Structure formats: structure tokens, C-alpha cells
Amino acid sequence: MGEIKETVKSIAEAARQEFRDVGAADALEALRVRYLGRKGVIRELMQQLGSLEAAERPQAGRLINALKEEIVALHESARAALDRKDSVARVQQEVDVTLPGRPMRMGKPHPLTQTTDEIVDIFARMGFSAVYGPEIETVHNNFEALNMPLDHPSRDAFDTFFIKGRDDLVLRSHTSPVQVRAMRAARPPLRIVVPGRTYRPDTVDATHSFMFSQVEGLVVDRDISMADLKFCLNEFALAYFGEGVRTRFRPHYFPFTEPSAEMDVSCIFCDGGGCRVCGSGWIEVLGCGMVHPNVFRAVDIDCEEYTGFAFGMGVERLCMLKHQIHDMRLFFENDVRFLSQF
Ligand code: PHE
């Protein structure tokens, strides 16, 4: 018994050393065969068990089994170590680690998204929250509830995309229908902006597209007046175009506001003197007005108790003015040489 104990001990010591020092896959395989193979060291020890006294066999068997397990484990970890060494060597061979890395191209928001965010931020500072509506809208919300009955000229079939097979749905031609949705969803006071895409069957040129973006605004409360409208939009113009810009309001017509106006800003290129861009010194930037009583009636808000103002602006136009972009088609061509400038 003592003899076999000694043998197992010295085999284990030798194996530890050898598996630790092994440097290549074929040498490791040779070790495995020598220790664990069919004519290997372990097998040989097992065979010697037969010549032991019956009483000693179990204990000796356990010793040999423990030795076998240890050698299997030694083999496993030696192989793992060799694999690691291998892949490091392969990478060093195949990859020039001294080459500079490939720069990762960072994406960023589209210029129209940036402008929309900027506009929404400015109004957020005045207490407006952003709400959204669907681009496929009911004829009722897009027209009727906004005081545009069937015979209104802006309802001309050529001015609206209809949905095939449905005469009650359109691609919204402005963001104003979200006014209707918002006033149905919540009672006043309301102070919201609505960014979103809108659609009109315009032919595409430098300043027109069948798809464009707007930001709508709506304030409804007791005692809201045209003075509030002018103050709010004047603040917006200063924040967006910069200190020193002047605004003017020209009477205009929209079915859903009364009175209605268009707001111009003093030309940011010639400071109002008159130039190639503005002609007159003024640039039109948005439509606005006091919410028409018929719009309040359509959403069951008492127009004796509440008044409000609304406005709508084109995002492409505001973005083009600020960045001196001369062709709207650039926004939709997705040329990174253009987009990466913003
Ligand atoms: N909806 C109008 C347009 O698309 C803009 C507008 C909005 C005007 C709200 C007045 C009030 O031209």
C-alpha cells in the first residue's frame, strides 16, 4: 500500500511539472497519451491493482482515481492556456496593431429635427408643452372643426392628399387639427406646441415640397388677448433670430382664427434695408390669430368664458433662413456632405 501511495505521489508531481511547462499543442497531445491513453500511466496503475491484497484495493483505487482526475484537470487548463496563447499570436500576426483606428462616424439629429427641437425649447421656456397628433387625420379635424366647411377653397381636392378608398381621411395639410384633438382631450387652460410633418400636393422645387414640417401653437385661457399673442411671438422671434430682430404683424385671413395675422421679422441679412432675399426688408415667418369662436364651438369650449390664440410656422423655412440654405430639396436628399454641416 505504502508503495503505491509513493508512486501516485511522484507521478502527480511529475505531471504537474510537465503540464505546466508544455509549450505546443503536439507536445500536449503526447503528454495526454502518455498519462491518459489506452497504454498510459493511469491505465498501467489500474492494472497493478489486481496484484494487491483484496483489502488494500479500494483505498488504492481511490488514490489512482484522484490522480486521474487531477491529470484530466491539468490537461484541460494546459489546453486552455495554449488556446489563449494561440489566438493572441494569431491576432499579432494578422492585425497590425500599430495602425491607427478607423474613426467611427457619429450620427446626429437632422437639421430639421434640430430646428424643431430649438423652437419647442423656446416655447417650453414660456410654459408650453409639446403634444403630437397623427399624420393621417380625419377630414373633420383637418377642416370642419377648424371652421373650414366643404366649399372652402383650401379644401380643393388638389390641395389635399386623400387616403385611397376613404373619403373621411386625409394626410393632414397642417398641424392645426391637433388643436382640435388637444381641446377635446383637456379643458383650458391650455398652452401647447405641436411639432409634426404635414402634406400638400405641391410640386417640388427650391421652396416647395409635398411634405414639410410645422410647429403649431395654441393658448387657451380666460382673458387671453391679441397682446398676449404679440408678446409671445415677439419673444420667440428674439430667441430664435437673436436680439435686435424686429417683428410686424400684417392682417391676414385664416378660417380658424379671427382676427388673423401674418408675422414678419426684419430681414436678418440686411437688417431691414431691403436685399435680394427679402426685397422689402421684411421676411414672413408664420401665421397666427385669435381662436375663432366656431372652433371653440366644435370642441364644446364656452367662447364667452375662454379666449385663445394660435399660430403655425414652417420649420423648413425657419431652418433655411437661419442657416442660409437656398434649396429645400437638400433636406430630403440625405447627402451626408450637407447633413454633417449642422
Ligand atoms: N394652419 C395654418 C397654415 O398651415 C397656420 C396657422 C396656424 C395660422 C394657426 C393661424 C393659426 O398655414
Side-chain angles (χ1 to χ4, degrees):
M1 189 63 215
E3 199 181 317
I4 200 154
K5 219 170 171 175
E6 277 307 304
T7 314
V8 164
K9 198 175 152 207
S10 66
I11 291 175
E13 270 162 16
R16 280 179 210 131
Q17 181 77 40
E18 283 177 299
F19 278 100
R20 180 155 26 83
D21 294 346
V22 72
D26 47 355
L28 177 62
E29 177 58 10
L31 271 185
R32 188 191 66 81
V33 170
R34 182 145 60 79
Y35 281 101
L36 302 168
R38 234 180 308 153
K39 293 177 187 154
V41 174
I42 297 290
R43 189 61 167 255
E44 204 179 299
L45 282 174
M46 290 291 193
Q47 275 157 3
Q48 286 172 18
L49 271 181
S51 59
L52 290 178
E53 300 278 326
E56 293 185 325
R57 270 182 228 151
Q59 206 195 339
R62 274 197 294 277
L63 280 174
I64 296 167
N65 265 331
L67 175 65
K68 182 180 172 185
E69 268 166 40
E70 181 177 356
I71 292 177
V72 167
L74 284 171
H75 173 256
E76 288 283 302
S77 57
R79 203 183 47 198
L82 275 184
D83 282 353
R84 269 198 304 278
K85 229 169 74 182
D86 251 25
S87 52
V88 169
R90 200 160 355 99
V91 167
Q92 276 166 350
Q93 216 168 51
E94 292 171 6
V95 180
D96 181 351
V97 294
T98 65
L99 274 180
R102 265 183 219 148
M104 248 205 277
R105 258 214 219 140
M106 294 290 279
K108 55 180 172 179
H110 190 279
L112 290 177
T113 306
Q114 292 182 35
T115 300
T116 302
D117 290 348
E118 191 181 346
I119 296 168
V120 169
D121 272 2
I122 292 169
F123 284 104
R125 294 203 289 273
M126 293 191 265
F128 287 72
S129 43
V131 305
Y132 301 84
E135 291 172 29
I136 296 177
E137 186 53 278
T138 63
V139 168
H140 181 83
N141 288 348
N142 196 80
F143 294 120
E144 257 122 75
L146 290 168
N147 197 34
M148 268 187 273
L150 247 181
D151 55 5
H152 193 273
S154 61
R155 289 188 60 166
D156 193 307
F158 295 107
D159 286 331
T160 315
F161 285 116
F162 278 81
I163 303 295
K164 212 173 188 172
R166 296 284 299 259
D167 54 13
D168 59 335
L169 294 178
V170 292
L171 288 185
R172 65 180 179 194
S173 58
H174 50 177
T175 42
S176 302
V178 188
Q179 288 187 31
V180 177
R181 289 175 176 272
M183 287 190 282
R184 276 211 209 95
R187 297 284 93 184
L190 273 169
R191 207 184 294 187
I192 58 164
V193 279
V194 184
R197 269 190 284 271
T198 55
Y199 301 85
R200 288 177 204 174
D202 274 327
T203 42
V204 178
D205 64 23
T207 53
H208 295 85
S209 163
F210 52 84
M211 179 186 79
F212 56 103
S213 320
Q214 292 190 325
V215 175
E216 186 86 11
L218 174 69
V219 172
V220 184
D221 205 344
R222 294 189 176 89
D223 302 321
I224 296 292
S225 75
M226 192 87 185
D228 298 309
L229 176 156
K230 289 181 76 173
F231 175 80
C232 175
L233 294 178
N234 193 60
E235 286 298 302
F236 163 73
L238 290 172
Y240 184 78
F241 291 107
E243 290 302 322
V245 84
R246 283 160 289 126
T247 55
R248 78 173 181 189
F249 291 80
R250 277 178 293 103
H252 196 72
Y253 172 77
F254 295 105
F256 31 88
T257 46
E258 180 61 33
S260 302
E262 277 185 333
M263 183 178 89
D264 299 337
V265 294
S266 53
C267 179
I268 51 175
F269 305 111
C270 66
D271 197 29
C275 68
R276 207 166 42 84
V277 180
C278 64
S280 65
W282 295 96
I283 297 177
E284 177 204 324
V285 291
L286 57 82
C288 57
M290 302 304 294
V291 178
H292 195 291
N294 284 348
V295 176
F296 282 141
R297 286 184 193 111
V299 295
D300 270 328
I301 288 178
D302 183 352
C303 59
E304 297 297 329
E305 187 177 354
Y306 292 105
T307 50
F309 68 83
F311 54 88
M313 60 188 86
V315 176
E316 283 79 2
R317 195 175 157 69
L318 285 166
C319 184
M320 287 166 83
L321 281 172
K322 188 156 189 167
H323 298 293
Q324 303 197 36
I325 299 163
H326 301 296
D327 195 324
M328 185 173 175
R329 285 167 291 202
L330 287 164
F331 289 130
F332 308 115
E333 282 166 358
N334 278 339
D335 185 333
V336 284
R337 289 170 303 179
F338 169 74
L339 295 175
S340 61
Q341 295 177 51
F342 303 95

